[in-house]
Structure formats: C-alpha cells, structure tokens
Amino acid sequence: MKKFFPTSVPNLPGCKLRPFHCCFLSPPSLPGSSVTQLLARDLDNDPLVFGVVGEEASRFFAVESVTGVVWLRQPLDRETKSEFTVEFSVSDSQGVIKGTVNIQVGDVNDNAPRFHNQPYSVRIPENTPVGTPIFIVNATDPDQGAGGSVLYSFQPPSSFFAIDSGRGIVSVIRELDYEVTQAYQLQVNDMDPIFINLPYSTNIYENSPPGTTVRMITAVDQDKGRPRGIGYTIVSGNTNSIFALDYISGALTLNGPLDRENPFYSAGFILTVKGTELNDDRTPSNATVTTTFNILVIDVNDNAPEFNSSEYSVAIPELAQVGFALPLFIQVQDKDEGPNSVFEVYLVGNNSNHFIISPTSIQGKADIRVRVAVPLDFETIPRYEFSLFANESIPDHVGFARVKINLLNENDNRPVFSKPLYNVSLPENATVGTTVLQVHVSRTGPGDASPQPPALRSHPRGC
C-alpha cells in the first residue's frame, strides 16, 4: 500500500509521504535544476515508480522514476506564467495513485526598468527660480514587490539639477546662466542592482563541516558610469543562524552543524537574500535587490535503527494458540531517508523459533508484531528471553532490545500416579485399620515432581 499527496487520496494505512501540496519556485531556473523530491513508501516493499502526468506539465517538469526527484525541463518566467497545476503519480505492481500539486513561480528581480516616452527634452528660462520642478521622468519595472520599485538618480550627479529618487521629479537647485551654459545633458539612472548566475539553488550534505562554502552570491550595479559596491545580507529563512553571508564578498558558508533529521532542517531552507548598493562611504543606499536561495539538505547514513524501548516484558497463557499476537508495543525506526533507512529485524535466543516477528524487512519506521509460532507448554518451558536486533548493512548500525515472555500455567494435565502398578503383600492376620499402601499422585505433568497429599488409603476387608 502507498500514500501519495494525502489531501487527494484516502488515508491508506501504513504509508509514509512527506506532505507536498504547494511548491514555490524562483525564476530564472535553469533546465536540470532540482525542484523538490517526492517521497512515498510501500508496506509490501514493492519498487515504486514516480512520474508526471499531462502534456504541459511534461514540457516544464520531469521526475526521476526511482528517486522521485523533480527536475525542471526549461526556464521559467513569472511574467509569462506565474502558476502551474501539475499532476504527479506514484505506482507499483498493484496500481497508481495521482495527486495534483500547485506550483507557484516566485518573482526575482530579473527585469530592468524601462523609461516611457523617450527622449526627454525640456526648455526653461535662465531665470528659473531655484527649487522649481521642471520635468517628471517615468519608468516602470514588471517585477513584483521591492524588485519592481524604481529609484532615480543622475549619473554623474549634476551641480544644477536634482531628481527626486522616488518620484522622478527634476528640479533646479542652482541659479542658471545662459551666457555660461546654453544646454545641459543629464543621464538618469533608475536601475536597482541585479543578481547574476541565478537561480541560487544547491544541495549540501548533512555531514558538511562548519565553514563549508555553500555558494558565492553576486549582484552588480546596472547603472552606467562608476559602479557601486554591493552589500549582502540574509533577510529571512536562516533558521538558528545556520548560515553566514559575508557582507562584502557574498560568500554563503555553513555556520554550524547540520542534521537532516532535525525537524527544523529536514525540509531544507529557503533563504531570502538582499543585495544593497553602497555609497562611497560604504553606507547602504536605497537601491536594493532580493532573491531566494533554495538549499536542500542531503541525507547521509548516520543513524542506526532504534527501538522505542530497551526491554519488553509480557505474560501470556500457555494455551495461547499459534498465530496469537503478543500484547507488546514494539516500534523501531531509522531516522535516515530512503535507502539509508533500510534494515532487517530478527530474534536471537534459545527456542526463538517458538515465536515469529513481522515485518522483518523495514524502511524507515514500523510496528513489530510478535506471534506464537508453535504450541507452548508451561511444564516444558515456562519462560523465554530473547534478543531483538535491527541491523543495517553498516556493521555498527545496530538496534537492540530484550524481549521477556512468561507463560501462565493452566490446568491442562490429568493427575498421574507415581507408579503404573502397585503390588502389596500382607499377612492374613492383619487387623482392621492396618495401613496397607500409600500412593502418590501428581496433578501436573511429569515435568513437575511436586507431590500431592496422599489420595488413596486401602483398608483390608474381612474374610
């Protein structure tokens, strides 16, 4: 049995899948970029095959059939298509389950602003008062949020005119003199910095040491003239400050130990990073750009299987039938992922073949059932003690627990005389009341020699 996209199918028992209802992607994403990974588990341990359904979805997305890794086939552009509805599937030899996933394409600052109604030309008298607005320039950017904001400036700066950075209003800031200068040519810069080498998406192994460089992040000043430096910061998504971003170089490094099994890290990270143009004195300007950085933490086989207790004890009647499930809650789990979480479970000890366990081959997590395999007999074996092992292919990855089973005695044996035949000789002149014979009877089987009080007394009869 398998479970895929829990919101779309019935709750089939015993199946595991990482919830996957909605996915956010940041363009421009390159073909071959990994988007996410679909995870499913089959209790029968049948091989699973992942796929993508539909013509449009297949043009943009591909799924590695064995691992469930979703890849991008062609670049995305939010300004062209901002949302996809994609149907994925998982199948085994018994059937197919499908689920619909909404994939929203996030915005990055990948479009430059554009001026409208160029070129700009204006005639003003030389006696125009200082502070007079003389013109308004207009530019727009199709990106969203901060990436779509437009800031205006002159490059190089003018000694006679100023431009409002937010509104584009050009004003006189100094007295003009026609006899000195008859015309001015101003270049308006309106472009925020832009990140290059997008998309920022990478994988990092969970055993990577602190200080590992994850990626170099680079943004550039798009304006002409002398480009300004960029300062880099992480805006959000940096759980427990696990990453560090160098303000000047843009080097993103690991700032602490990773553990994919930590619930804060298992789903990966989506960092929002910002690049800010720096003024000549290295203070931040108003020109900024943001983007997202997807980081997937890759599992390594660093966990051994673990039982939910170190010892299990139970008492059952000796007449428990073959197939009877012992009332024990035994659960075992390997916190690693995929093939790294496969292991075998087995019982070891004297007469361990009197019981069977299931399942014996496990991936991830399972409840273990212990059942009676042969008829039991308190008088033969009143108590069992076994070792329960969960073994991976790696020698030191072994889980261990002890199982103790006590049998409860039942009245299941007929009384047995101590001898099958008693021979007695007595004289003919024996008197009434003479003890002729004392017999012993055991109420349990031959394995228990506990005698019972005399059960029979014989008296001679007169002739």
Side-chain angles (χ1 to χ4, degrees):
M1 297 180 180
K2 51 192 171 296
K3 184 178 179 184
F4 192 63
F5 306 118
T7 56
S8 306
V9 298
N11 184 17
L12 302 178
C15 306
K16 301 293 183 184
L17 178 78
R18 177 181 296 172
F20 187 79
H21 314 298
C22 185
C23 181
F24 297 89
L25 303 181
S26 298
S29 298
L30 300 177
S33 301
S34 60
V35 175
T36 188
Q37 184 176 16
L38 310 177
L39 297 177
R41 181 169 68 87
D42 190 305
L43 285 182
D44 300 324
N45 289 323
D46 291 338
L48 299 178
V49 178
F50 296 91
V52 60
V53 182
E55 181 179 350
E56 182 188 44
S58 298
R59 289 202 309 268
F60 286 91
F61 303 97
V63 180
E64 210 289 322
S65 61
V66 176
T67 64
V69 174
V70 180
W71 304 94
L72 195 63
R73 285 187 179 272
Q74 58 178 288
L76 301 176
D77 182 10
R78 186 202 63 83
E79 286 72 35
T80 301
K81 188 174 179 65
S82 62
E83 187 173 356
F84 294 85
T85 299
V86 182
E87 189 174 36
F88 293 103
S89 67
V90 61
S91 62
D92 64 5
S93 58
Q94 300 181 12
V96 180
I97 290 179
K98 299 178 181 179
T100 300
V101 180
N102 177 258
I103 299 179
Q104 298 179 11
V105 182
D107 184 54
V108 296
N109 192 2
D110 58 345
N111 291 278
R114 293 185 178 182
F115 283 103
H116 301 285
N117 303 318
Q118 294 189 79
Y120 300 123
S121 178
V122 61
R123 300 173 68 88
I124 59 173
E126 64 175 330
N127 61 347
T128 300
V130 172
T132 301
I134 59 173
F135 195 73
I136 298 178
V137 298
N138 182 30
T140 58
D141 188 322
D143 292 318
Q144 289 183 329
S149 63
V150 177
L151 297 175
Y152 303 94
S153 64
F154 289 135
Q155 187 65 35
S158 171
S159 300
F160 292 89
F161 302 93
I163 185 169
D164 185 285
S165 62
R167 295 179 295 174
I169 300 174
V170 180
S171 303
V172 177
I173 60 173
R174 185 175 173 181
E175 291 184 356
L176 306 175
D177 187 347
Y178 179 83
E179 285 70 33
V180 176
T181 304
Q182 292 78 39
Y184 294 87
Q185 184 173 357
L186 306 175
Q187 178 176 315
V188 181
N189 287 334
D190 64 337
M191 303 177 72
D192 284 332
I194 187 172
F195 283 106
I196 61 175
N197 300 323
L198 292 172
Y200 292 139
S201 177
T202 192
N203 301 333
I204 184 171
Y205 284 96
E206 64 171 319
N207 61 347
S208 299
T212 299
T213 299
V214 180
R215 180 73 182 268
M216 294 297 299
I217 297 176
T218 306
V220 295
D221 181 0
Q222 298 186 88
D223 293 324
K224 295 181 180 180
R226 185 167 61 90
R228 296 194 287 188
I230 306 294
Y232 303 93
T233 54
I234 300 176
V235 177
S236 64
N238 192 15
T239 305
N240 294 333
S241 299
I242 196 65
F243 298 102
L245 181 59
D246 189 275
Y247 186 71
I248 299 300
S249 70
L252 184 71
T253 57
L254 189 60
N255 197 40
L258 275 178
D259 182 8
R260 192 204 62 83
E261 290 71 41
N262 185 326
F264 290 108
Y265 304 153
S266 59
F269 302 85
I270 301 179
L271 303 180
T272 299
V273 295
K274 180 170 72 172
T276 303
E277 289 187 13
L278 303 179
N279 298 316
D280 292 339
D281 60 358
R282 311 300 281 179
T283 59
S285 70
N286 292 326
T288 64
V289 61
T290 59
T291 190
T292 56
F293 191 169
N294 297 310
I295 303 173
L296 181 64
V297 181
I298 302 299
D299 182 56
V300 297
N301 195 351
D302 59 347
N303 288 277
E306 293 182 353
F307 291 97
N308 61 332
S309 178
S310 61
E311 183 175 299
Y312 305 93
S313 298
V314 68
I316 62 172
E318 64 170 324
L319 298 181
Q321 296 182 354
V322 172
F324 173 77
L326 278 61
L328 291 171
F329 175 56
I330 303 177
Q331 192 173 78
V332 61
Q333 179 182 15
D334 188 323
K335 295 180 180 179
D336 291 318
E337 191 174 49
N340 291 336
S341 65
V342 175
F343 57 95
E344 303 288 327
V345 179
Y346 53 91
L347 277 176
V348 175
N350 293 333
N351 302 303
S352 60
N353 60 325
H354 289 193
F355 298 88
I356 57 174
I357 61 174
S358 64
T360 56
S361 296
I362 298 170
Q363 178 175 334
K365 182 179 181 180
D367 294 336
I368 304 297
R369 288 288 189 184
V370 181
R371 298 181 184 274
V372 177
V374 299
L376 306 176
D377 184 15
F378 174 87
E379 289 70 36
T380 305
I381 305 177
R383 186 173 185 272
Y384 295 87
E385 187 167 328
F386 304 123
S387 296
L388 185 61
F389 289 98
N391 277 23
E392 281 193 65
S393 57
I394 297 178
D396 59 344
H397 281 198
V398 180
F400 171 80
R402 191 165 295 281
V403 180
K404 297 179 179 180
I405 304 171
N406 292 307
L407 298 189
L408 301 176
N409 189 24
E410 301 280 355
N411 189 7
D412 60 340
N413 291 283
R414 298 176 62 185
V416 178
F417 285 98
S418 59
K419 293 181 180 181
L421 177 65
Y422 296 93
N423 292 314
V424 179
S425 297
L426 72 162
E428 64 177 324
N429 61 348
T431 61
V432 174
T434 299
T435 298
V436 177
L437 175 69
Q438 185 175 19
V439 298
H440 293 272
V441 177
S442 173
R443 297 184 60 190
T444 59
D448 188 339
S450 300
Q452 298 296 321
L456 178 62
R457 181 180 293 268
S458 177
H459 299 279
R461 297 180 180 179
C463 296

